[in-house]
Amino acid sequence: MPATRLKRPARLPVLPASTAQAAAYRAAVRPLLAELERLVEQLLADLEPALAARDDAADGSRVRSLLSRLRGVLARRFAPRNLERWLAASLGRRAENIERVAGATLRSQLEALLRVNPKIPKDAIATTLTKAGEARTTARDEWNKENTRLISSVGDRARREVAEVVQAAAAKGTRIETVARQLRERVGVAGSRADLIARDQTTKLSSQVNEAQQRAIGVDRYVWRHSGVRTGARPEHLARDGQVFRWDRPPPDGAAPDSGVSSS
């Protein structure tokens, strides 16, 4: 059944944009990236004499030893069990902030509804808020698990790419200046990947929390409202403004409000 278009109703308060939360996410991830950069610079300092004497078998062994040490440090730093603790101490707070904003938004929506229909029992409102709170907490916990995996993947990818650069340099006799440039580029890629995750995941959490609390209280559909920012907007997203969709029957691309994911 095609999406229907309703007459534009009175606007209720909506979930605010998560730009500030994305910035907070990036700030929380920055110490991990700074440590990655420090480790790579340390590796370069140790590699220079080994690569300069690349005909010496002992120096080839030294290169392998340096790589093994770096891989071990990165594996420990980005291990899921360590990241879980870090997420709880940093990103967990960001997730709680988004959850709180969603709860406050829902409360203001219900208050607006009460002004339209004051006969709604107040205990029904209280029950609704409780159900929504439980759903938001579940959505936040699932988001924390997914972000542990995503941030861990940044370390995994960096570890593989650094090893590839160094092993190729040892085999081909690449100059240390070239190796330094290539390794620093890999660190930059890791930073870009972390920025991408920050943008996507804060937006996704807002969407997931919003959907979870709405479905928990029996709201099974939503009206697509475009932000109005046309720069970079997808034509199909602009065309959906005012259309009604079910949560379990999203548009063909699977997108729901505030759930867009950038490509890496």
Side-chain angles (χ1 to χ4, degrees):
M1 180 178 176
T4 56
R5 187 178 292 274
L6 299 182
K7 292 182 179 179
R8 185 174 292 272
R11 285 186 178 271
L12 293 175
V14 296
L15 212 58
S18 54
T19 304
Q21 295 295 346
Y25 191 124
R26 285 194 293 271
V29 175
R30 197 168 295 130
L32 283 175
L33 297 175
E35 184 167 356
L36 173 61
E37 184 176 358
R38 180 186 64 77
L39 289 170
V40 166
E41 292 298 328
Q42 181 180 327
L43 174 68
L44 279 170
D46 293 339
L47 270 177
E48 186 167 8
L51 290 179
R54 50 186 169 269
D55 292 332
D56 189 335
D59 284 304
S61 176
R62 172 67 173 159
V63 169
R64 290 191 295 274
S65 175
L66 289 171
L67 271 181
S68 177
R69 187 179 69 189
L70 178 67
R71 283 195 293 259
V73 172
L74 287 175
R76 288 192 297 275
R77 188 65 185 91
F78 285 86
R81 64 181 179 277
N82 293 332
L83 286 176
E84 285 171 6
R85 291 195 292 270
W86 168 72
L87 280 169
S90 55
L91 290 189
R93 290 196 297 271
R94 318 304 172 193
E96 288 171 4
N97 287 341
I98 291 175
E99 184 187 347
R100 270 197 300 273
V101 169
T105 301
L106 177 63
R107 182 180 293 276
S108 66
Q109 289 171 336
L110 293 175
E111 289 172 351
L113 184 61
L114 274 175
R115 288 193 291 272
V116 174
N117 185 1
K119 294 183 179 180
I120 298 176
K122 290 189 176 180
D123 58 346
I125 297 294
T127 300
T128 296
L129 289 172
T130 298
K131 287 181 179 178
E134 293 169 351
R136 289 195 305 271
T137 298
T138 298
R140 185 197 69 201
D141 290 345
E142 291 175 353
W143 182 85
N144 282 338
K145 291 177 183 177
E146 173 65 4
N147 276 262
T148 296
R149 185 190 68 78
L150 287 170
I151 298 300
S152 181
S153 74
V154 172
D156 290 342
R157 181 181 295 190
R159 199 163 62 243
R160 289 195 306 270
E161 292 180 347
V162 167
E164 289 169 1
V165 168
V166 174
Q167 288 166 347
K172 298 176 182 178
T174 308
R175 292 173 59 84
I176 188 64
E177 294 84 1
T178 302
V179 176
R181 175 177 55 78
Q182 292 173 340
L183 288 180
R184 287 165 184 154
E185 285 175 355
R186 297 307 185 274
V187 172
V189 168
S192 297
R193 175 65 180 163
D195 281 346
L196 175 71
I197 291 171
R199 290 194 304 272
D200 288 346
Q201 290 302 304
T202 47
T203 300
K204 182 176 284 186
L205 178 60
S206 295
S207 175
Q208 290 172 338
V209 165
N210 190 34
E211 176 182 353
Q213 70 177 5
Q214 288 197 26
R215 296 183 75 161
I217 64 176
V219 177
D220 61 1
R221 63 194 67 199
Y222 58 90
V223 179
W224 185 288
R225 294 297 186 204
H226 195 269
S227 65
V229 179
R230 293 180 173 269
T231 303
R234 300 178 188 177
E236 61 270 27
H237 287 187
L238 288 169
R240 289 175 194 158
D241 188 53
Q243 292 184 6
V244 179
F245 296 94
R246 290 179 58 92
W247 286 113
D248 57 357
R249 295 179 192 169
D253 59 8
D258 291 329
S259 66
V261 177
S262 304
S263 58
S264 56

